[in-house]
Amino acid sequence: MEDPMLALEQRADFWDRPDGDWGDGVPEFDITREVRLKANSCYRLGSIALAREDWWFAECWLCGAMEADHPGAWFRFAALICRRGSRVFGGDGPDAYLRYLVEGAAGFGHGDAQRMRPLLEDRAVELPPFTSWEDPYYGPLILSALRSGISR
């Protein structure tokens, strides 16, 4: 298995923005720079925990970033739900929560989530091919889960 820490150091992460430069000028993002910096640190730590499959820490850190509306955190929390889904929620619960998280990520500006929005209404809708991803590590997982439902 690939070392998650080494992998994170080597990969470019579109939403790892140490300067907190997401949503600038958008009224719902009217938060201080200090809050954005902290949120990005939470996102980074949550991403490390997610890569290590340390579910509890991933949830805690990503939630911290989500409180500041970090688009990448919303999307990666959706990946956490894909991985943990029915083990945590049982039945149909994870699918509804996944849809909520993808919609939230899209609303805060996550490009992959925005492109997946039509699947929130109709799983069978044809989407243009994804030739590039903002989150190539978890985007395909989330796309697959939206198309087929969470069955883990």
Side-chain angles (χ1 to χ4, degrees):
M1 184 172 166
E2 179 180 27
D3 178 13
M5 291 297 293
L6 181 61
L8 283 173
E9 292 299 320
Q10 295 173 345
R11 294 176 180 166
D13 184 340
F14 184 87
W15 286 105
D16 180 10
R17 299 185 178 184
D19 293 329
D21 66 342
W22 67 88
D24 288 336
V26 179
E28 65 261 20
F29 290 101
D30 191 19
I31 57 176
T32 66
R33 187 177 191 300
E34 182 180 330
V35 170
R36 286 175 184 246
L37 296 174
K38 180 181 176 186
N40 196 74
S41 294
C42 289
Y43 167 75
R44 187 152 171 78
L45 290 168
S47 294
I48 291 168
L50 181 61
R52 288 185 171 185
E53 298 182 354
D54 191 339
W55 311 127
W56 187 81
F57 281 111
E59 180 179 342
C60 290
W61 288 116
L62 290 172
C63 278
M66 288 169 66
E67 288 176 4
D69 300 330
H70 189 293
W74 278 80
F75 198 73
R76 294 240 167 132
F77 204 93
L80 175 65
I81 297 304
C82 290
R83 293 272 174 92
R84 296 287 294 151
S86 56
R87 291 183 201 126
V88 175
F89 293 96
D92 294 330
D95 195 55
Y97 197 41
L98 171 66
R99 292 171 181 284
Y100 167 76
L101 291 165
V102 170
E103 181 61 38
F108 293 118
H110 198 288
D112 295 342
Q114 290 172 342
R115 292 168 49 200
M116 292 178 193
R117 265 185 169 154
L119 292 173
L120 300 178
E121 298 297 322
D122 179 5
R123 288 178 200 258
V125 71
E126 288 294 322
L127 298 178
F130 280 68
T131 56
S132 64
W133 295 89
E134 288 182 5
D135 193 336
Y137 315 107
Y138 297 108
L141 171 71
I142 294 168
L143 179 61
S144 176
L146 285 175
R147 284 195 170 145
S148 63
I150 298 175
S151 60
R152 291 180 173 246

